[in-house]
Amino acid sequence: MTTTTVVLRGVGVSPGRRAGVVARMPDPVPAPSGEPLPPGTDLAAAADRVDAAAAAVRAQLARAAADATGEAAEVLAVTAEMAADPTLVDAARGRVLDTGATPQRAVWDAAAGVADQLAALGGMFAERAGDVRDVRDRVVAALTGAPVPGVPDPGEPFVLVARDLAPADTARLDPGAVLALVIEGGGPTSHTAILARALGIPAVVAVPGADLLRDGDTVLVDGGLGEVVRDPAPEAVAGAGRPAPRPDRLAEPGGTADGLPVALLANVADPAAARAAAAAGAEGVGLLRTEFRFLGRTVAPSVDEQVTAYRQVLDAFAGRRVVVRTLDAGADKPLPFVTAADEPNPALGVRGLRTAAEHPGVLDDQLLAIARAAASSDAHVQVMAPMVSTPDEARAFVERCAAHGLTTAGVMVEVPSAALRAGRLLAHAHFASIGTNDLTQYAMAADRELARLAHLSTSWQPAVLDLVAATCAGGRERGRPVGVCGEAAADAALAPVLVGLGVTSLSMTPRALPDVAAVLASVTADRCRELADVALAADGPDEARAAVRAALPVLTSLGL
């Protein structure tokens, strides 16, 4: 039987070339029957089964979160809390009590209502709709005794192909078993993409035609180029095995071949991730996400609780820089004590620093806790605020930090207004850190989870690079450093472009540190500027990426 090589193209989100046999995600849990409970059923007892099943799923996910670190732990914790969300559980209970629906059908219909509401909001909330469906399937499985949804286990390394992948499943992938990911949906800044990079699993998302791939097919996945080849030539398969072992830690400070220093830092989300980043040789922490102490709570943590948590991170980086981002609540991270539940468009609503206008005590307590933790540590602590849009906001934040004894305060650049007026913001702030995920979303007006818009949702967009250049120009004007702490920093091909634009530090998942260091060490500062010009001159992201990659032969030798 003759086979035909088929090339599918999507968006490469985690580099690497792997060849292997396809195993598809199993079909989702089917919709339960709409038949009501038999007459005479104890409806209260039936409704209690919803509570019990949701609690069991929450406990299972919480245990998984406790065993994970970093992004994976945060994703699992958020999904666990969603399983106990009263919006979902109470709606399902109501359907059992009011209509006599079976518990499983009540959960199914209640989840559909919640997911539809989130999907209608668009942006990052649409991503939460997928999480709701994942929780729905897990609760329905608990109620019916059906197999729990999850990643297949064919007994040998495989390429996982899925229409979509729930964050809770992605967070628990085994890099030793999963050679690569091929996802029909998603986008370059989706949780699937972020976690794939953190795990070092080559991945391509937004792949039209991925449904053509069947269990047992042999495919070659190129996560750098965004290609999936079905039935590749044998010589191509032979050349796409696991690359020669490379360093798993940063051996020396980052910089270009001619000695321009570029600090290579880590993004961390909890103390365990901080210890792992330190072991990986990170020069410091460029982004400490403090939400790990706030998620899953109905009231803010006390100052003492926060001090204890922050000290654990600072202890791992004694003598090194640690940049602490204040609470980034809102949008896809709603917290009942600072965010409203009825915002019509939360992605453009009260989030990040904006929450301090109505809840100033939460920010003041956090700054007090950071200051107390810093006072008893040898780490060089800096603080930055998310979602800063104007010079007045920057000034007010810096003054607030100074009142707590925090003398190095910066701003996140996540919205175009901050990038375009960076010089004015940096007249007050001591540094800027570009969050490329949000900056891309807001610049391109593209939902990062919508596969049809994935070509827009990439930091290779020349318009996004223009905003990075504008931010760096503002930094040079004021003599202030500008870093990148978004997912773009982990893209080894994009790193020299960012340095060429004027970025002075890159903060990323620790797994990416050695690769980014190797690429930067292969080019001079002038070459970085030339590559930046090449990317800016392109008409689109694919042209920019292809031109830069062609000029970086080191990527091939690294298997990227």
Side-chain angles (χ1 to χ4, degrees):
M1 179 177 177
T2 303
T3 58
T4 302
T5 297
V6 175
V7 179
L8 305 176
R9 289 184 171 83
V11 178
V13 296
S14 183
R17 286 167 55 86
R18 300 286 189 277
V21 174
V22 166
R24 294 191 63 92
M25 280 290 287
D27 292 333
V29 172
S33 167
E35 287 292 318
L37 291 165
T41 299
D42 184 340
L43 297 183
D48 287 344
R49 291 186 60 214
V50 173
D51 290 291
V57 169
R58 180 185 184 281
Q60 178 192 46
L61 291 169
R63 286 193 297 272
D67 292 335
T69 63
E71 284 278 354
E74 184 175 329
V75 165
L76 289 165
V78 170
T79 309
E81 291 308 314
M82 195 169 288
D85 184 356
T87 304
L88 174 60
V89 175
D90 291 350
R93 283 185 59 88
R95 289 174 183 272
V96 174
L97 296 172
D98 297 340
T99 70
T102 63
Q104 56 266 34
R105 185 69 199 194
V107 168
W108 188 273
D109 291 340
V114 175
D116 288 347
Q117 291 173 4
L118 292 171
L121 291 173
M124 290 177 286
F125 264 74
E127 184 177 324
R128 299 275 79 81
D131 296 353
V132 170
R133 287 188 284 269
D134 176 44
V135 167
R136 173 201 68 190
D137 290 352
R138 294 172 187 275
V139 175
V140 168
L143 286 164
T144 62
V148 177
V151 177
D153 181 12
E156 60 183 1
F158 62 98
V159 174
L160 179 61
V161 178
R163 181 176 300 277
D164 202 357
L165 199 57
D169 286 326
T170 314
R172 290 185 287 181
L173 292 179
D174 177 5
V178 180
L179 298 171
L181 297 176
V182 178
I183 309 297
E184 188 172 352
T189 58
S190 65
H191 280 307
T192 296
I194 293 169
L195 289 167
R197 282 190 287 271
L199 293 168
I201 299 175
V204 183
V205 302
V207 184
D211 58 324
L212 299 173
L213 303 176
R214 296 287 179 263
D215 286 339
D217 284 348
T218 297
V219 293
L220 169 63
V221 179
D222 190 319
L225 294 177
E227 289 186 350
V228 181
V229 182
R230 187 182 71 179
D231 296 318
E235 58 270 22
V237 172
R242 295 187 180 276
R246 299 200 304 278
D248 58 3
R249 72 184 309 276
L250 191 64
E252 57 187 26
T256 60
D258 56 341
L260 176 69
V262 181
L264 299 182
L265 314 170
N267 296 338
V268 304
D270 56 33
R275 291 188 288 273
E283 296 180 53
V285 173
L287 169 63
L288 169 58
R289 302 180 179 96
T290 55
E291 292 75 40
F292 73 97
R293 289 307 309 155
F294 291 81
L295 293 172
R297 304 177 65 117
T298 57
V299 296
S302 69
V303 171
D304 287 343
E305 286 180 90
Q306 294 183 61
V307 170
T308 299
Y310 303 152
R311 275 179 181 158
Q312 293 178 58
V313 174
L314 301 184
D315 287 346
F317 282 90
R320 287 175 280 180
R321 182 195 327 180
V322 176
V323 182
V324 184
R325 183 183 69 187
T326 57
L327 182 62
D328 189 18
D332 63 334
K333 295 185 284 288
L335 294 173
F337 45 89
V338 290
T339 56
D342 57 353
E343 284 189 341
N345 192 346
L348 298 178
V350 180
R351 58 170 299 199
L353 182 62
R354 299 171 182 176
T355 62
E358 294 184 14
H359 303 279
V362 175
L363 176 59
D364 283 326
D365 280 355
Q366 187 172 30
L367 294 177
L368 174 59
I370 295 169
R372 283 177 50 187
S376 62
S377 169
D378 293 328
H380 305 308
V381 178
Q382 303 176 357
V383 187
M384 64 182 178
M387 286 299 290
V388 175
S389 303
T390 68
D392 281 346
E393 290 176 346
R395 175 189 51 76
F397 178 71
V398 172
E399 291 176 352
R400 203 164 190 162
C401 290
H404 288 279
L406 297 165
T407 57
T408 305
V411 295
M412 292 283 291
V413 174
E414 300 163 286
V415 296
S417 66
L420 294 171
R421 305 284 283 179
R424 299 297 184 95
L425 271 67
L426 288 168
H428 309 287
H430 300 102
F431 66 93
S433 186
I434 303 173
T436 50
N437 298 359
D438 273 327
L439 184 61
T440 300
Q441 174 174 249
Y442 291 132
M444 304 307 298
D447 180 348
R448 70 183 190 176
E449 278 297 307
L450 192 58
R452 295 192 301 277
L453 299 181
H455 62 290
L456 296 175
S457 301
T458 167
S459 297
W460 282 97
Q461 283 286 353
V464 176
L465 297 177
D466 279 334
L467 293 172
V468 174
T471 307
C472 292
R476 285 191 296 272
E477 175 190 344
R478 300 291 179 178
R480 304 297 199 188
V482 174
V484 169
C485 65
E487 288 303 308
D491 187 334
L494 187 54
V497 172
L498 297 174
V499 171
L501 293 173
V503 168
T504 58
S505 66
L506 298 168
S507 189
M508 65 201 75
T509 175
R511 187 178 288 271
L513 289 166
D515 288 337
V516 171
V519 173
L520 289 178
S522 75
V523 292
T524 63
D526 283 344
R527 185 57 172 156
C528 288
R529 287 186 278 271
E530 291 170 0
L531 292 173
D533 289 341
V534 166
L536 289 173
D539 286 334
D542 293 341
E543 179 186 339
R545 182 190 291 107
V548 171
R549 289 184 63 88
L552 289 171
V554 67
L555 295 172
T556 301
S557 65
L558 292 172
L560 301 175

